[in-house]
Each structure stands twice: as C-alpha cells, then as structure tokens.
Amino acid sequence: MSKQIAPDARAIVDGHERAGDAAPTPKTLHVGLLWHTVFNENLGVGALTIANATLLVRAAERHGYRPVLHLMGSHGAFDYGHEMPGEHDFMNVQLKALLNPFSRLNRLLRQCDIVFDIGGGDSFSDIYFGKRYWLIILSKIAVGAARTPLVFSPQTIGPFHTPMARRLAVAALKIARKVFARDEVSLAVLEGLGVAEKSALTCDVAFALPYHQQAARHESDGEGRPLKFGLNVSALLYRTGRSPHSNVRLTVDYPALIHSLLERLTGDPQIDVHLVSHVISGKDAPDPAVGHFEDDYAVAHQLKSLYPQVQVAPKFASPVEAKSYIASLDVFSGSRMHATIAAISSDTPVIPLGYSRKFNGLFESIGYSYNIDLTCETNEAVLARFDAALTDVPTMRAEAKAASAEARRRLGEYEAYLDEVIGKLAPRHV
C-alpha cells in the first residue's frame, strides 16, 4: 500500500516559496547546528535535528540563500542523514577540540554565519554527569569566542541544582542572542536566571517532524476490528535497577507497571498490542533480548517472550520511519518523550508515562491532560488513570488534536523568529 506525506508535513518538506531557486547565483549561508546529530541511537534526538533543520532550510531558502548545514554533536552507530534537508556535514564535539582554538571545530564555528544550539533537547542542565554539562557549557563559550551569533533553539532549560551550575548557565545564556524555552517551567527558570529580556516561549520542534500518513489509519472506533495500541517501554526505566549511575527517581515500580499494563492489554481480544522502540542500539546482539542497556528494542523482545501475543514493531532506521509507524496506530503510550510527541503531533491519542519535568512542562503547556507522572503516582493510580482513558478514546483523540494544534501555533513563534533573524544576516562568505 502506498504511503503519502501528511498534508502538514508536505508543507514542511516542500516549503511554500523557494526564493533561492529563482536567483541565478544564491548566496551560501553557513548554519551551525550545535548538539544536533543524525547518528544518535535515540531517535528523539534525531527527530529534533531533522525537524529543526527542515524549519531552518525553509526560512533560508525563502530569503534566497543556499543553506549549508554544519551539524555538531555526538556520533553513534546510526546514520539517517538521508532524511536531512539540504546540504549538510557533521563534526563530533569533543572536549579537546573545544579547548583548542585552532581545532577544526573552532574553525568551523568561525566559518558559520549563525549557530543554533538545541542542547540535545534537555542537556542544558546539571542533572547529567559533570563532563557532559561542561561540554554543553564550553561549546557555547566557543561560539561566543568565534563571534558567531548564537540562538538557543527550543529546549528544556534546567534544572540547576548547584550555585556553580547556575553561574555557568547564566554565563552561557549571556552569549546567546535569543533563547527559546519549549515550556512554561523552562521560561520561568530563564526569568529566575535574569535573562527574561532575550527569552521566548515556543514548543518542541519535533512537532514539525514530517511523517508518512498510513492509509490504514482509522479515525473512529467500534468497527469490529481490534484497537491498534502502541506501547513504548523505556529500557532505561525498565532496567534502571541495574544501573549504578541512574538519577531517575520514580514512585512506581516500572517493570511491575509494564507487566500489569501488558496483562490488561493482551487479555482483551479487542486490543492488538504493538511494542514500539524509540532508542535502538545500532549493534545486533546474539540475543536480541539483551542488547545495549538503553535499547528499547531488546526489552521489547524480552517482553515478547513473556507475552507472545504482542507484536514487536520493526527496528526503525530513522525518526521519520518511527513517527510514520506510530501515526498508523489508534492509541499510543510510552516513556520516551519524543515517541509520545510523534503520536500527538500526528493526532494519535497518547497516554504519556513521564519520568521527568520535561513531560509535565510540555504536555501541560499545550493543554493536554492525559500525561501520567511516574515520579509522584503509585502503580495502582497509574493503572486506574490508564483504564479511565481507554474507556473514552474519542475524547482523548479530540484533546490530542487540539493540543497538537496549540503546539503548532506556539511553534509559529519560533518560525517567525527564524524568518526575522535570517533575513537580517550578513553572510561572512558568498
């Protein structure tokens, strides 16, 4: 069965105007995309990269530029660069290169006309290990030293638990020309850090990730067919008891919760369960149920051995492929935030099983009430809310559509700024 690009996605992919095509010799615009990558096993990071790049290319071409995107971030085992729009290259960010002013990385930062830093979505915080936070901070200082305009693309800001982390955050924020928060909580953090004048509220750019609309998608229930229910099980949360460095603090027993959900779902003949992975190891293990510690796909196979009735979704090769699969489902639930964004942004009703502030901030900001916070609920309470949501899927779908529309409205604030800032740029190179 043929696939079609969803109408809103087609506008993103194709653009509305291509002013650059009309110009005989368009000027080249070198755009740095800091902490973006198309090699990450976490498809959520890839979703941010492809979506942000799509919005940037669209804005640049509308102003008559030939955009060349320079991705700078971490290198993993995947490569879904074929989904990137326009010309692009990639450079791995390492501490040694950041500290050397004559490194290729620093030369590239000086070559860029502007840099958009997305911080991997939620890495501008000291909740992660010290080296990672120092990399995040030093990369921004390097952009400032290169005298290249810096913009914080939509991301989670904070939290910052120590005075030193706050001081470093303020120093990095002062370098930026503009800072976009993807939720109200992050905006409040920016105000508390004294940078309200350069801050703005928008939404996660992954709402703009293109996808293929499946012809098999249904908009109504009760048609005498099983409900296609997708469940994303986070390997990080499922295996967190074995992690010596876990900083996730849940009030639920996550493995027990997942088993209870699967027992409920597989016990209903009118529900067809699909286990959907969103962090996938690039290496094939001899036993697919072992895999990498954070490999959702390995955990899905482990659960398949316990619940043979479930279907294991394919090992997706890219963020667009994953979103397209999720868009074909009737209902979705999961603990990887960008898997839940893939659902709601394709108008699929979703029950997020959140484990951090970023879930609450995002879904509350767009008026979506079905988010479940695993850091303050009990297993029994989660199951009760889950059951209640499934009793009225049409209402959940209607709220998902409204929330998705609000997200795209908010994202329009960021798109308008891209038009404005790119329109005012004076490229360093022709």
Side-chain angles (χ1 to χ4, degrees):
M1 192 169 292
S2 63
K3 297 179 179 180
Q4 298 177 334
I5 293 292
D8 62 327
R10 181 180 293 113
I12 297 168
V13 173
D14 296 336
H16 297 295
E17 298 178 64
R18 289 183 175 271
D21 293 345
T25 53
K27 295 180 180 179
T28 299
L29 188 72
H30 291 276
V31 180
L33 295 181
L34 187 58
W35 299 114
H36 294 67
T37 182
V38 288
F39 297 104
N40 202 297
E41 289 86 349
N42 187 331
L43 298 181
V45 177
L48 290 173
T49 298
I50 294 167
N52 204 28
T54 300
L55 297 176
L56 285 163
V57 165
R58 178 178 169 184
E61 291 183 341
R62 188 157 47 242
H63 286 282
Y65 290 117
R66 178 178 71 89
V68 178
L69 308 179
H70 303 287
L71 280 63
M72 292 166 269
S74 58
H75 197 298
F78 273 73
D79 183 359
Y80 31 87
H82 61 281
E83 290 187 345
M84 279 285 293
E87 301 175 52
H88 65 276
D89 53 38
F90 175 83
M91 185 172 293
N92 197 25
V93 177
Q94 295 180 324
L95 182 60
K96 184 177 180 181
L98 283 173
L99 295 175
N100 179 2
F102 304 105
S103 67
R104 288 180 57 241
L105 177 60
N106 279 299
R107 291 201 304 271
L108 178 59
L109 290 174
R110 290 190 290 271
Q111 179 187 1
C112 290
D113 299 303
I114 189 168
V115 170
F116 293 88
D117 181 344
I118 207 161
D122 67 348
S123 291
F124 191 55
S125 168
D126 65 348
I127 63 173
Y128 297 108
F129 303 124
K131 181 180 178 181
R132 182 171 177 180
Y133 187 55
W134 275 105
L135 276 174
I136 291 292
I137 295 296
L138 288 173
S139 63
K140 294 160 179 50
I141 293 174
V143 178
R147 299 182 180 276
T148 302
L150 173 66
V151 175
F152 278 50
S153 289
Q155 59 190 277
T156 299
I157 306 295
F160 306 103
H161 295 99
T162 68
M164 173 62 77
R166 289 176 63 86
R167 287 195 293 270
L168 290 172
V170 171
L173 288 165
K174 286 183 177 179
I175 297 169
R177 174 178 293 188
K178 192 78 172 179
V179 181
F180 284 93
R182 63 184 181 184
D183 58 71
E184 279 87 351
V185 178
S186 293
L187 186 65
V189 171
L190 290 168
E191 292 170 350
L193 294 174
V195 291
E197 76 285 350
K198 63 170 65 177
S199 304
L201 179 64
T202 182
C203 200
D204 196 295
V205 295
F207 277 87
L209 181 70
Y211 66 99
H212 299 284
Q213 180 64 66
Q214 306 288 338
R217 172 71 178 275
H218 292 264
E219 286 297 311
S220 61
D221 306 303
E223 300 176 1
R225 64 174 182 85
L227 187 78
K228 294 168 65 178
F229 189 99
L231 178 64
N232 161 252
V233 179
S234 165
L236 173 65
L237 301 185
Y238 192 82
R239 295 172 164 177
T240 194
R242 297 194 286 108
S243 172
H245 304 296
S246 175
N247 52 16
V248 176
R249 297 290 180 264
L250 304 181
T251 55
V252 301
D253 182 334
Y254 189 79
L257 176 63
I258 292 300
H259 294 167
S260 295
L261 288 175
L262 287 173
E263 286 166 10
R264 276 170 158 77
L265 294 168
T266 58
D268 188 335
Q270 290 303 308
I271 296 179
D272 184 12
V273 182
H274 300 242
L275 294 178
V276 180
S277 306
H278 214 252
V279 174
I280 304 171
S281 174
K283 298 179 180 179
D284 292 324
D287 181 354
V290 178
H292 186 269
F293 181 79
E294 286 202 44
D295 187 358
D296 297 351
Y297 188 72
V299 168
H301 275 280
Q302 183 178 340
L303 292 169
K304 170 76 171 176
S305 67
L306 300 174
Y307 304 93
Q309 310 97 308
V310 304
Q311 297 185 46
V312 176
K315 195 171 190 177
F316 303 122
S318 70
V320 170
E321 185 179 324
K323 182 173 181 177
S324 300
Y325 188 97
I326 292 170
S328 73
L329 301 170
D330 297 309
V331 183
F332 186 77
S333 181
S335 294
R336 297 292 189 181
M337 191 176 81
H338 282 95
T340 63
I341 290 177
I344 198 169
S345 63
S346 59
D347 296 337
T348 301
V350 59
I351 307 172
L353 301 174
Y355 63 90
S356 74
R357 192 195 82 190
K358 62 184 181 181
F359 277 82
N360 292 337
L362 174 70
F363 287 102
E364 288 176 3
S365 70
I366 58 176
Y368 193 69
S369 63
Y370 290 89
N371 180 55
I372 297 177
D373 189 346
L374 302 184
T375 68
C376 63
E377 301 267 19
T378 64
N379 282 42
E380 293 73 21
V382 172
L383 293 171
R385 291 189 60 190
F386 204 93
D387 291 342
L390 286 182
T391 61
D392 194 357
V393 172
T395 296
M396 185 166 45
R397 178 179 292 117
E399 190 169 313
K401 287 184 176 181
S404 180
E406 171 62 14
R408 291 308 306 267
R409 185 194 69 77
R410 288 177 175 233
L411 196 55
E413 298 292 324
Y414 177 60
E415 294 180 84
Y417 177 79
L418 295 182
D419 269 340
E420 176 187 347
V421 71
I422 289 176
K424 293 179 179 178
L425 280 178
R428 297 175 175 182
H429 309 277
V430 178

